[in-house]
Amino acid sequence: MKKRIALNTLLLLLFVMLTSMEVHKFYSSIYQINYVPQKKMIQITSRIFIDDLNNALEKRFHSKYNIGTDKETPQDEIAMQKYLAERFSLKVNGVLKPMIFRSKEVEANVLICYFRINAISKITKLEIENSALTELNSDQQNIIQANISGEKQSLLLTSDNFKGMLK
């Protein structure tokens, strides 16, 4: 009898715990910015969930996209580059600098993109604007990790606060 009461109590507790939990997805992307003074270059790596990026592209350009899948087309990549250029920008020492797309790769369900900015002799101030994916979910967080001249800094950019500065 005691075993049955204990089992029923355990099942009831398990039921309450499982039904009270809500499925939660993390809405975050990571951007690594490295300044390489020997090359006078900023190297940027972004890590973005593929499904979120495809949904953002669809919302922005009103078409279906297949970035990071075997159905990806060259037009998909062009749309991705255009979207990221509109949503993610860097001002170096007060001057907006164009990012050059280098390549991309897929790792599990994440798209990793590589960019660079050339001809940067010194960084005194780096202004970052990143509103990528914030139009999809107000919980989106774009995490910026930077290594500038050996000094590591980070920013957390959101839909309410999508601009930041590193010195």
Side-chain angles (χ1 to χ4, degrees):
M1 184 71 168
K2 288 183 180 183
K3 286 183 181 180
R4 186 176 176 142
I5 292 173
L7 180 61
N8 285 340
T9 303
L10 179 63
L11 289 175
L12 179 63
L13 182 61
L14 184 62
F15 174 77
V16 169
M17 287 175 49
L18 290 175
T19 58
S20 66
M21 290 183 180
E22 186 177 317
V23 175
H24 177 73
K25 182 179 176 188
F26 293 99
Y27 296 100
S28 62
S29 299
I30 299 174
Y31 297 77
Q32 178 67 45
I33 300 170
N34 294 316
Y35 175 56
V36 185
Q38 302 86 348
K39 296 183 179 182
K40 296 183 179 183
M41 174 191 307
I42 295 175
Q43 298 172 336
I44 303 150
T45 304
S46 67
R47 296 176 185 275
I48 304 172
F49 285 109
I50 292 171
D51 59 338
D52 293 340
L53 181 58
N54 281 318
N55 289 337
L57 293 174
E58 186 173 335
K59 184 172 183 172
R60 168 64 179 90
F61 299 114
H62 311 289
S63 186
K64 178 126 176 81
Y65 292 90
N66 296 294
I67 292 292
T69 72
D70 55 356
K71 296 179 182 177
E72 181 180 316
T73 67
Q75 290 76 21
D76 292 344
E77 186 173 302
I78 290 167
M80 176 205 67
Q81 289 179 40
K82 182 177 179 182
Y83 173 80
L84 289 175
E86 291 173 353
R87 296 293 195 149
F88 178 60
S89 62
L90 297 177
K91 284 185 182 178
V92 180
N93 306 326
V95 179
L96 182 64
K97 296 290 185 177
M99 289 187 288
I100 301 165
F101 176 75
R102 300 292 297 155
S103 64
K104 64 178 176 32
E105 63 181 306
V106 174
E107 189 176 281
N109 60 343
V110 174
L111 184 72
I112 304 170
C113 296
Y114 302 95
F115 302 88
R116 74 173 186 216
I117 299 174
N118 294 324
I120 306 296
S121 58
K122 185 178 180 183
I123 298 177
T124 57
K125 178 172 65 168
L126 185 63
E127 298 170 69
I128 302 163
E129 186 173 316
N130 190 340
S131 61
L133 308 179
T134 58
E135 72 278 17
L136 292 178
N137 192 307
S138 61
D139 293 336
Q140 175 68 34
Q141 297 180 335
N142 293 320
I143 301 164
I144 311 296
Q145 299 172 330
N147 186 347
I148 301 170
S149 301
E151 186 177 335
K152 294 181 180 183
Q153 300 178 52
S154 60
L155 290 171
L156 177 62
L157 303 178
T158 64
S159 60
D160 295 331
N161 180 28
F162 58 91
K163 295 179 182 182
M165 185 182 313
L166 302 173
K167 293 182 179 188

